[in-house]
Each structure stands twice: as C-alpha cells, then as structure tokens.
Amino acid sequence: MCGIIGYTGRGDAISVVLDGLKRLEYRGYDSAGIAFFSEGTVQIKRCKGKVNDLSGLFERDRPMSATAIGHTRWATHGKPSEENAHPHRSHHIILVHNGIVENYIELKKVLIAEGYTFTSETDTEVLCHLIHKYSQGRSLEEAVRNALKDVRGAYALAVMSEKEEGKVVGVRKDSPLCVGLGDREYFIASDVPAFFSHSKKVMFLNDGEMAVLTNDGVIVTTISGAAVHKEMTAISWSPSMAEKGGYKHFMLKEIYEQPRALSDTMRGRFNAETGEVNLEEFCLTGELLKAVEKVFIVACGTSWHSSLIGKYMIEHITRVPVEADIASEFRYRTPIIKPGDLFIAITQSGETADTLAAQKEARRLGAKVLSICNVIGSSSAREADAVFYTHSGPEIGVASTKAFTSQIIGLYLFGIALGLAKNMIDRRSAGEMLRELLSIPDKVEQILARNDEIEAVAKDLFKAKDFIYLGRGIQFPVALEGALKLKEITYIHAEGYPGGEMKHGPIALIDEELPVVVLAPRDTLREKIVSNLQEVRSRGGKVVSLINPGDTEVHGLSDHCIPVPETNPFLASILLTIPLQLLSYHIGVLRGCDVDQPRNLAKSVTVE
C-alpha cells in the first residue's frame, strides 16, 4: 500500500518529506517521488526504486522549500517506472494519490476529448487533470471538491497548486489519511510514522473529510464543504508501534486490514446490477474463456489452499474440470496439458520459484497462463498471458492472511466469468452471486468484532501439543489453511482433514487433551460434519466449532463456539478463515512466539 507525506511550515520541507517517505518504507513500494516549491514554482523529482535513490537526486542541489508533498508507490495501474511514479502534474496542479479510481477509463476518454494529454499509465493522472479542469476561477479546495463529484473509487489525496504557495489539500475516501500538528508547521500523511519524529499531535480524517493545510493552521470540512470539528489525539506509541498503526504485530494489523483489502480487490471489477464481470481486469476475452476445456491451478503453501477452494468453486459454477496442484510436485511430473487448457498460477509475491517453474512448463506445453498475483511487475505477472492483480497491499507478516482471502475473491470472480462465457449461469444468477460478494467486507468486520471471544478460546487451548481441523467439501481446504496457520506461528503440530477421513486414522488420536476445530456452517454437508463432531465428542476431544448464528444443535455439542455470518458456500470459505487466523495469532502470542517472523520461514520462497 502506497505512502503519502505532505508538509507546510517553517522547516526544510524537502528533508521532512524525504524522512517521512523513509519511515513509510515498511508499507512496500516500487517507486518514489517528491514535489516542492522553489522560488515560486513547483519542481518534481521522482524515480523507480527506493527512497535512497530519490534522495540521491538531491546530492548536488537541495533548494530550500517550505511546502512539499511526497509519495512511495506500490504499483496498481501501470508498471513500476519513473513515468508512473507520483507526484503527477497537470499545468499548475500537482498531487499524490493512494487508492483506485474505478471509473478512470471513462473519465480519461472525456479528458482526452477535451484536449488533455496523458503521460503515464496510471489512474491517478485522471485525478490531476480533472482537478485542473475545475480549477478555473476556483480555489484549490473548491477545485478538488468539484472534481471528486465525478470520481468513483477509493482515494487519499495530497494536492498542491502552483498558484497557491504554502497550501496543501488532503482528502480521503476508503484510504487512510491523518494530519499532524506541530509548532507553526503541519503535516498530512497516510500513516503516523511519516511525521512521528516531528509531531505527536494527530487528527485522523474520516471518510469524506478534507483538510486544508496553510501556514495559518488546518481547517477540516466535509468534501461538500460543511465545517467539521476534529479532536486532536496525543500519540504515545513508540515509533515501531506507530508503524503498525497501533497494533501489537503486523500479522494482527493485516488480519484487520482484510475488509479494506477485499474491497480493493473487488472494486471496479464487476457490475452486480447487470451480472457482468469486467474481463479487462483479468486481461482475458470472452472468446478465450469459451475455448477453455480444462483448468489447472498451481500454487504453494497458503496459495495452494486457495487453489483447492478455487477448484470447488469453478467446477461447481462452470462444470469445467479443474486440477489443483502443488507447484513443487507439478513441475516434476509429466502433466497432460494441451492447447485450449488454461493454467492459473497463484502467488502472492509473483516470485515463488516452484510456481514460476510450473508456469513456464505449462506455457511450453501450449496452455494459456493466467497469474493471480499481488505484486505488479513480478516475474509471474511478466511471464503470463493474462494477470489478475489482487489489491490486498503488501504483507509484512510472514504468515499470509489478507493475500489468501483476496485470492479467493479473484477465483470467485473468475469462476463467474467462466460460467457466463460457457453459458452455465445467466446474468441473473451471476448478479445474485456478485451482490452477495459485496456484503463480505461488512461480514468480515462482524467477525473481527468478536476478537475478544476468540482470544478467550485461545487462552483455554494454547498449551495443547496437537490440533486437528475438520471440514467437508469446499471447507476442507479452509481446515488445511487453519492448521497451516497454527503450525507456522505457534509451532504446535496441527493437521487438517476432510471429515470423511476421520475413521481412516485420525480418530485414533482423539483424547481429552486434543482440541478439534470443526467447520460447521449451514450447507449441504452440515449433517455429515455434525456426525464427525459427535464422534470427536464421544471420545472426549475438545470441540471448537465455527457455526452460523442460531445453530443450537452444534452449540450444545461444543466446548467453544465461534459464530460467523451466513453467506453462500463459496464465500463462507473467506468468513470461516478469519476466526482461524485470529485463533492462531492469539495462541502464538500466548506462547511467546514471534508471530511476524516465525522461525525458519521466509515471506517469499524464491529458491527451491
């Protein structure tokens, strides 16, 4: 997720902004830039690479400046490059932007017809030209207000005008932005660490709010112009805590970021009213999808679990056969692939060695390759025929959380798109599935609100030496993922099993010391999983059940119950995952483990 820092005051603006960008590096980025006033005009310096590279552009000449904005970019629209780096400029308007402009294509067409020239591949440049369009005869804040009436999407903006030196306008919608208050100097940033060394007095902007920073202070209004009274918060975090946004660990922060990550991954990619999936966002055509005869999904680790969920979804929706394979196994067997087959590589980093090798082999054998990836410009993305970028933002914690659930969104949308292309579902059915998808971020919020209850379960179980996770159908891969999370960050031995396999071995392990986590939503296999639960209970095992609200039968058979909202079986895989992430996190913390950097593990496995 990109980083923003803006400053106006009596200090050295360039040094303040460069330092702020350095402090935002933990968010992940691929390019950086700064815009600053110098002798009445605004200069821009930007580059592909790191903040140190940007600082190097000032080695011979660092002019004095009192107002500046800066940005670290994590690419979404357009590859990492100097041209795509922020800040962007349109005549006297200069800005930096976090978020996604959903309707940028239609806005771009209108602006080109009106004579505007685009020099980047970004959606952000649309905002810049749009604000300039509305700036004639208006103040900077009025131009921003009018421009944003035309915009759909998420944004955090810091904007300057060459005609109004000393002023920075910030505005947010669905992307974080906060204001720092110093001694006759003022800051705006995407996160507190950017200005933490200069000010610990902070105002956190809410969605739909605008802050105007000048040498005289800060005025906060709604985007429509109504006055807003903001309380100032005194920050007492340590710098390292501030980087985590107040969370104790990056893993917990990333678990809580999932409503935003899921919203960003689905935003602009479908129309629930018409039942359409935007194939341009998959870099696919309807003709290519109609020709697909078989799908291979290949991945490693957590991404392999999402591929198993994808197999259930795609086969059910489309009736097209799907193989889900572990990349390290796929690359060393002789898979039967032919032209007309579609190979889907799933990788958070886009650099996983085994997945890349499998992807290359599939292309060699004639398959079309779709990469579902979180990092723009990664090897997997570059070497694929088509790419679906999840927009979950960079993960700092080694154990994947938000990337996993975002991958499920990508597979769900692909399944609907393929089902439509194959005429296996109609627009009405697709619309119903897409409308349900829109409800998922709010339902995840409901589960996160139960964090204290889940922590209480962890306190009862954290001394256990082994765990079993049980699921049926599409929830079996969720059981695998729950067990993997526990192994990764608590070092407790855990196994995920399909419920039907209980009597084929695992039942021998059950005693009074063994916790068994049972995924028991109301679906077509609920009676079967309840039968497995009763087998566990009759042998003295500790039962932790994930249920839908009001399920008194399973509640009565369980030692602990964690309710999750109801949804369709495909999207239930997302909702059931969230409590398992929190359970593993709390058990890891209670056992004194380093949950962000577990022993022996790396975030991206780039070697065999």
Side-chain angles (χ1 to χ4, degrees):
M1 194 163 55
C2 312
I4 285 175
I5 171 71
Y7 171 86
T8 189
R10 55 183 181 170
D12 178 359
I14 294 174
S15 294
V16 170
V17 169
L18 288 174
D19 178 67
L21 294 178
K22 191 74 177 172
R23 294 174 184 274
L24 292 173
E25 285 189 306
Y26 71 91
R27 296 168 70 89
Y29 69 106
D30 47 55
S31 58
I34 183 172
F36 54 92
F37 274 91
S38 177
E39 299 180 352
T41 63
V42 173
Q43 296 184 34
I44 296 176
K45 292 184 182 290
R46 54 190 186 173
C47 66
K48 177 183 175 182
K50 299 301 182 182
V51 174
N52 283 341
D53 301 316
L54 180 64
S55 298
L57 300 179
F58 291 94
E59 285 182 356
R60 296 182 181 179
D61 178 29
R62 181 175 292 195
M64 289 303 298
S65 177
T67 306
I69 57 176
H71 191 265
T72 52
R73 177 177 186 258
W74 190 74
T76 52
H77 293 79
K79 62 183 180 295
S81 68
E82 182 178 341
E83 293 76 19
N84 290 332
H86 299 210
H88 287 285
R89 180 176 196 139
S90 178
H91 304 279
H92 60 273
I93 300 297
I94 303 95
L95 64 74
V96 295
H97 165 230
N98 289 351
I100 298 172
V101 180
E102 293 178 13
N103 59 334
Y104 83 99
I105 293 176
E106 58 193 78
L107 290 173
K108 186 173 182 177
K109 290 177 181 177
V110 171
L111 289 165
I112 289 173
E114 294 176 356
Y116 285 92
T117 300
F118 285 77
T119 60
S120 77
E121 303 169 286
T122 69
D123 57 335
T124 298
E125 196 175 359
V126 165
L127 292 171
C128 210
H129 290 316
L130 201 59
I131 294 170
H132 175 264
K133 171 183 172 179
Y134 286 103
S135 69
Q136 310 308 313
R138 296 184 175 95
S139 67
L140 177 59
E141 54 268 38
E142 289 172 334
V144 173
R145 286 191 183 104
N146 280 275
L148 291 179
K149 292 177 183 177
D150 295 341
V151 174
R152 296 197 311 271
Y155 45 78
L157 297 175
V159 192
M160 299 193 308
S161 169
E162 204 165 44
K163 295 181 178 181
E164 299 181 63
E165 186 169 357
K167 178 185 287 186
V168 177
V169 172
V171 61
R172 71 157 286 180
K173 178 180 178 292
D174 297 330
S175 195
L177 204 61
C178 57
V179 175
L181 296 88
D183 182 11
R184 293 170 58 193
E185 57 181 2
Y186 307 96
F187 310 81
I188 194 157
S190 48
D191 210 348
V192 173
F195 54 77
F196 191 76
S197 60
H198 299 277
S199 172
K200 294 179 176 60
K201 297 177 180 179
V202 182
M203 292 190 299
F204 294 96
L205 299 184
N206 296 321
D207 279 349
E209 291 182 346
M210 170 185 285
V212 180
L213 286 62
T214 66
N215 292 328
D216 297 323
V218 178
I219 297 174
V220 180
T221 66
T222 64
I223 293 178
S224 60
V228 175
H229 173 70
K230 298 295 292 184
E231 295 292 334
M232 184 272 293
T233 301
I235 297 296
S236 58
W237 301 328
S238 67
S240 61
M241 281 293 287
E243 289 179 359
K244 296 166 186 169
Y247 293 96
K248 188 175 181 180
H249 298 97
F250 281 113
M251 182 181 178
L252 186 60
K253 182 185 183 211
E254 288 158 8
I255 290 171
Y256 271 81
E257 285 177 340
Q258 284 175 106
R260 190 275 309 159
L262 297 176
S263 294
D264 284 353
T265 296
M266 68 178 75
R267 185 176 282 117
R269 288 173 153 167
F270 61 87
N271 186 325
E273 297 308 312
T274 62
E276 294 176 282
V277 175
N278 184 355
L279 292 181
E280 288 185 5
E281 288 289 340
F282 280 91
C283 308
L284 295 171
T285 65
E287 290 72 24
L288 187 150
L289 289 177
K290 288 177 184 176
V292 171
E293 298 176 4
K294 186 173 183 179
V295 176
F296 293 81
I297 314 178
V298 175
C300 297
T302 286
S303 295
W304 177 60
H305 297 154
S306 69
S307 75
L308 291 171
I309 291 169
K311 172 182 170 67
Y312 282 92
M313 289 195 292
I314 296 167
E315 287 190 337
H316 184 93
I317 296 168
T318 72
R319 308 313 298 156
V320 173
V322 179
E323 285 191 24
D325 230 323
I326 297 172
S328 57
E329 294 298 313
F330 182 93
R331 65 182 293 192
Y332 290 118
R333 65 182 179 87
T334 54
I336 303 171
I337 296 178
K338 59 184 183 300
D341 293 339
L342 180 68
F343 179 97
I344 302 177
I346 306 180
T347 164
Q348 188 281 138
S349 67
E351 305 295 342
T352 307
D354 288 319
T355 304
L356 287 173
Q359 179 176 328
K360 290 175 182 176
E361 177 66 5
R363 288 196 81 185
R364 187 187 69 82
L365 294 172
K368 293 290 185 182
V369 173
L370 166 65
S371 172
I372 297 180
C373 180
N374 198 33
V375 180
I376 288 184
S378 65
S379 298
S380 179
R382 293 195 309 271
E383 296 176 14
D385 298 294
V387 186
F388 179 92
Y389 287 113
T390 58
H391 293 313
S392 53
E395 280 187 326
I396 307 299
V398 166
S400 181
T401 52
K402 60 182 181 175
F404 172 70
T405 49
S406 296
Q407 289 166 356
I408 296 173
I409 296 287
L411 289 162
Y412 185 77
L413 290 175
F414 173 80
I416 294 172
L418 184 59
L420 288 168
K422 292 284 191 179
N423 293 317
M424 296 305 298
I425 56 173
D426 57 23
R427 291 283 181 84
R428 182 189 60 80
S429 299
E432 290 176 0
M433 296 174 71
L434 294 170
R435 281 190 289 275
E436 183 59 27
L437 178 57
L438 289 171
S439 74
I440 295 302
D442 285 339
K443 291 179 178 180
V444 172
E445 291 275 15
Q446 294 172 38
I447 298 169
L448 293 173
R450 294 183 175 274
N451 179 51
D452 290 347
E453 300 171 36
I454 297 168
E455 185 177 9
V457 176
K459 288 178 179 177
D460 185 46
L461 303 177
F462 77 97
K463 293 182 181 179
K465 296 180 180 179
D466 302 277
F467 272 69
I468 286 178
Y469 290 70
L470 296 179
R472 287 266 188 170
I474 195 172
Q475 309 314 339
F476 163 51
V478 179
L480 291 174
E481 175 61 13
L484 177 61
K485 281 291 154 289
L486 195 74
K487 283 183 277 195
E488 284 180 313
I489 62 171
T490 73
Y491 317 141
I492 295 174
H493 174 253
E495 298 294 338
Y497 278 96
E501 284 293 292
M502 272 288 292
K503 293 179 180 177
H504 296 272
I507 200 167
L509 300 174
I510 296 173
D511 60 20
E512 295 81 0
E513 302 299 319
L514 182 73
V516 180
V517 180
V518 181
L519 308 181
R522 290 191 187 94
D523 59 21
T524 57
L525 295 174
R526 179 184 171 281
E527 289 184 1
K528 299 293 185 183
I529 200 70
V530 171
S531 176
N532 297 138
L533 186 158
Q534 290 171 325
E535 291 170 349
V536 173
R537 188 166 181 82
S538 67
R539 288 159 178 81
K542 292 184 178 180
V543 177
V544 180
S545 296
L546 273 61
I547 62 171
N548 295 136
D551 191 337
T552 55
E553 178 187 7
V554 176
H555 191 281
L557 295 170
S558 306
D559 297 280
H560 299 284
C561 273
I562 302 171
V564 299
E566 288 198 57
T567 185
N568 67 43
F570 308 131
L571 296 175
S573 60
I574 293 175
L575 300 185
L576 292 168
T577 295
I578 310 300
L580 303 185
Q581 294 173 347
L582 286 168
L583 183 64
S584 295
Y585 167 79
H586 288 301
I587 291 175
V589 171
L590 288 164
R591 291 171 67 92
C593 300
D594 185 346
V595 296
D596 283 340
Q597 295 289 328
R599 67 190 184 201
N600 306 329
L601 296 178
K603 184 63 185 171
S604 179
V605 182
T606 58
V607 295
E608 238 188 300

